[in-house]
Amino acid sequence: MRVCLICEGCYPYIPGGVSSWVQMLCTQFSDVEFVIWSIATNREEMSEVCYEMPENIKELRTFYLGEVALNKKYRSVQMTAEDHQVLKALVAGKPEEIDWKRTLEFVKQYRTRLEDILMGEDFYQICLEEYDRRKSKKVFFQFLWNFRNMYFPLMNILSDEIPQADVYHSLSTGYAGILGSCVSYAMQRPFLLTEHGIYTREREEDIIRAQWVEEDFKEIWIDFFKKMSLIAYQQATVVTSLFQVNKTLQVELGCPEEKIRIIPNGVSVESFGELAAKRTGDPARFNIGAVLRVVPIKDVKTMILAFADVKDRVPAARLYIMGNCGENPEYYQECEELVQALDVQDVSFLGQVNVMEHLADMDLLLLSSISEGQPLAILEGMAAGLPFVATNVGDCRGLLEGENGEDPAGLIVPVMDSAAMADAIVYCYTHPKERLKMGQAGRRRVCERYRKEFFLKEYRALYNQLGEEQHGGNRV
């Protein structure tokens, strides 16, 4: 069997939870041939492979969104009236009103001419009509080029040569999802869509906060990502979700409920269990660890603010931030500057390290994210018998609090509330017996529900099912 994994902004260039998940999947399924189709930002940020890819990854193909440019010459495309309406619905229609079957047929038909269409008369007229309808106060050519900049990367991706595979498997909606949708339709192969987080909601949060998107265009960009998610949900043979709350969100965003299967993440219980047995503890120090990428969505600044408060009350506290610092250099510099401005001691950015070499020395772990799915960092910490203080995002509450009155494996605090996080950390420091009890509860929960063997068994069955059926095309 040959599976094409379509990754966006992660494997194999950016370390993190999703990338670790891909590495585990490919390594464990040694009898499956994988093609990695990676959608990256630009070569400067994402060119160095951060993982030792197993031999069954037969091809790595990378599409750099930031390195494509419009050709100065393009050919006129004579479109039928029906095709014009399909393009108009995609660009200017409401997401729920688009005929996705016709849209996919349109993309398949014009796959090698999409850039010509973008620069052609039909696209121009559609944007002009939309400009008038919205009564935009922007100069028209600014409006037009905003739409071209929106659809140009998408159309270039869809024009790429399609790798052969028995199953196409996208790890998010967005660009990866619509690419998987279109190639599965064109090749008439099954399409599996896995969502670790809810891409549409994450992009909506990004756009609302973004300064690169002018206020007049924010709604247009949000609708654009909703359209891409809808086409992926409609085309997918199976959609997987990590937990019930995310499944509910997928249904709200237009995914047919009958397609969704909940498959939680899993970790190597035995490997991390050895760390729990080695933990000795140093009464002269209170070591706090954070395993994360230093990027805005992880809200490292709130963590630093919380630690500054903790340090005043607990001089023995030490904070070790473990993870990639190079993905967003500007944000990393801002975090370092915040540490200096607060004049807080004992904050260490360790960069990309072997986490297992450090967890045995930790007393408590933190997660301060403003958005998550079902974090592998929490599962790994729980497997190592470590308690957590985490924000109330994604499945963090479900992981740490369990269900039906189970013993907690940590404490949940509100998003962006440094005072609440600081209080929770101090509570854990002043209640060592309770802290030990939380670590033990987390270890039990992972052993019972979140072993890597469980999720691998589910995906093995899915791959076998989809590979045997071979009828992924024309599902919309």
Side-chain angles (χ1 to χ4, degrees):
M1 178 185 295
R2 191 176 182 92
V3 175
C4 178
L5 283 175
I6 307 174
C7 311
E8 181 178 338
C10 56
Y11 193 84
Y13 302 112
I14 301 294
V18 176
S19 292
S20 297
W21 187 93
V22 174
Q23 181 76 357
M24 186 187 303
L25 189 76
C26 295
T27 301
Q28 294 297 316
F29 291 169
S30 58
D31 58 328
V32 176
E33 290 187 354
F34 287 97
V35 176
I36 304 297
W37 203 351
S38 182
I39 302 172
T41 51
N42 57 66
R43 203 174 301 271
E44 181 179 357
E45 295 178 1
M46 299 177 67
S47 61
E48 183 178 348
V49 173
C50 298
Y51 292 84
E52 183 177 345
M53 294 191 292
E55 293 183 358
N56 57 322
I57 294 180
K58 299 300 182 181
E59 181 183 354
L60 169 60
R61 178 181 300 186
T62 305
F63 184 93
Y64 290 101
L65 287 172
E67 294 190 359
V68 291
L70 284 165
N71 293 321
K72 293 181 180 180
K73 295 182 180 180
Y74 53 92
R75 297 171 294 168
S76 175
V77 177
Q78 298 300 317
M79 237 183 247
T80 66
E82 181 180 5
D83 288 342
H84 179 91
Q85 290 303 314
V86 172
L87 179 62
K88 181 177 180 179
L90 177 64
V91 174
K94 294 181 180 180
E96 62 274 14
E97 296 175 352
I98 297 173
D99 186 331
W100 295 115
K101 180 180 178 180
R102 290 177 62 195
T103 300
L104 287 169
E105 290 172 347
F106 175 90
V107 171
K108 180 181 178 181
Q109 178 182 353
Y110 291 104
R111 191 174 65 83
T112 61
R113 302 292 307 280
L114 293 174
E115 186 175 331
D116 296 328
I117 289 172
L118 186 71
M119 297 299 295
E121 181 66 22
D122 286 271
F123 191 86
Y124 180 95
Q125 289 298 328
I126 289 167
C127 289
L128 183 59
E129 292 173 16
E130 186 67 2
Y131 176 79
D132 292 337
R133 186 186 73 80
R134 290 177 177 268
K135 297 180 171 59
S136 177
K137 297 179 182 179
K138 297 293 181 181
V139 175
F140 172 66
F141 277 95
Q142 185 180 8
F143 186 90
L144 172 64
W145 277 100
N146 185 76
F147 271 87
R148 281 178 173 161
N149 289 335
M150 186 182 299
Y151 283 92
F152 178 59
L154 172 64
M155 291 184 173
N156 268 277
I157 290 173
L158 298 181
S159 300
D160 203 5
E161 183 181 350
I162 301 174
Q164 294 289 331
D166 300 305
V167 176
Y168 293 93
H169 183 180
S170 293
L171 302 186
S172 68
T173 58
Y175 292 108
I178 198 167
L179 179 57
S181 302
C182 292
V183 299
S184 78
Y185 188 87
M187 304 299 287
Q188 297 198 23
R189 291 291 185 269
F191 174 42
L192 174 59
L193 173 62
T194 290
E195 282 204 278
H196 293 265
I198 302 301
Y199 185 99
T200 304
R201 291 293 174 89
E202 292 174 357
R203 295 293 76 75
E204 184 172 358
E205 292 170 2
D206 289 342
I207 291 166
I208 290 171
R209 295 193 306 271
Q211 296 182 357
W212 60 270
V213 183
E214 293 189 40
E215 198 64 36
D216 291 1
F217 297 135
K218 287 184 185 289
E219 182 181 349
I220 294 172
W221 275 94
I222 290 170
D223 283 345
F224 171 71
F225 285 112
K226 286 182 178 178
K227 290 175 184 179
M228 289 204 289
S229 292
L230 265 175
I231 199 170
Y233 289 147
Q234 295 297 323
Q235 175 64 11
T237 314
V238 177
V239 178
T240 68
S241 186
L242 293 171
F243 53 101
Q244 181 61 46
V245 171
N246 269 12
K247 176 183 176 180
T248 301
L249 290 173
Q250 288 172 325
V251 173
E252 290 177 1
L253 290 167
C255 184
E257 186 172 5
E258 64 274 11
K259 290 186 177 184
I260 303 174
R261 299 189 192 181
I262 296 177
I263 305 178
N265 277 332
V267 295
S268 175
V269 170
E270 290 73 22
S271 298
F272 288 94
E274 295 175 4
L275 300 180
K278 292 178 182 178
R279 185 165 300 107
T280 57
D282 183 351
R285 292 190 173 192
F286 183 59
N287 291 334
I288 305 166
V291 182
L292 46 76
R293 294 173 293 122
V294 183
V295 293
I297 202 168
K298 302 299 182 180
D299 195 14
V300 182
K301 292 180 182 179
T302 290
M303 180 184 297
I304 293 169
L305 289 169
F307 181 75
D309 185 355
V310 170
K311 188 66 176 174
D312 287 340
R313 293 188 269 172
V314 184
R318 307 284 191 276
L319 176 60
Y320 299 93
I321 298 173
M322 297 168 270
N324 184 12
C325 298
E327 182 176 344
N328 190 324
E330 295 83 4
Y331 185 74
Y332 171 51
Q333 183 177 349
E334 291 172 9
C335 291
E336 285 198 312
E337 290 172 352
L338 178 60
V339 172
Q340 295 169 8
L342 294 171
D343 194 26
V344 59
Q345 303 299 309
D346 298 317
V347 177
S348 301
F349 290 91
L350 302 183
Q352 197 66 40
V353 295
N354 184 345
V355 173
M356 296 185 70
E357 294 177 358
H358 295 269
L359 287 184
D361 297 324
M362 297 298 123
D363 299 293
L364 178 70
L365 295 177
L366 300 183
L367 191 71
S368 52
S369 301
I370 58 177
S371 180
E372 282 287 353
Q374 190 179 67
L376 281 172
I378 288 186
L379 289 173
E380 290 174 351
M382 291 167 65
L386 283 165
F388 248 95
V389 172
T391 45
N392 189 20
V393 292
D395 197 31
C396 293
R397 183 180 292 278
L399 293 176
L400 295 184
E401 296 185 355
E403 55 191 36
N404 300 324
E406 292 179 299
D407 290 336
L411 302 176
I412 292 292
V413 297
V415 172
M416 300 181 72
D417 191 335
S418 61
M421 177 166 281
D423 289 343
I425 294 169
V426 172
Y427 176 88
C428 291
Y429 173 75
T430 56
H431 294 76
K433 291 183 179 179
E434 185 66 21
R435 194 171 72 236
L436 176 62
K437 185 178 178 182
M438 287 190 289
Q440 292 171 341
R443 169 83 180 156
R444 287 195 302 271
R445 193 167 300 138
V446 169
C447 289
E448 292 171 0
R449 302 174 200 165
Y450 302 103
R451 291 176 176 270
K452 73 174 184 181
E453 295 88 347
F454 299 163
F455 102 83
L456 290 171
K457 180 180 179 181
E458 294 277 2
Y459 275 94
R460 169 66 74 180
L462 272 179
Y463 280 168
N464 288 342
Q465 172 195 331
L466 297 176
E468 290 172 3
E469 290 178 359
Q470 291 286 348
H471 58 60
N474 298 323
R475 294 192 59 86
V476 172

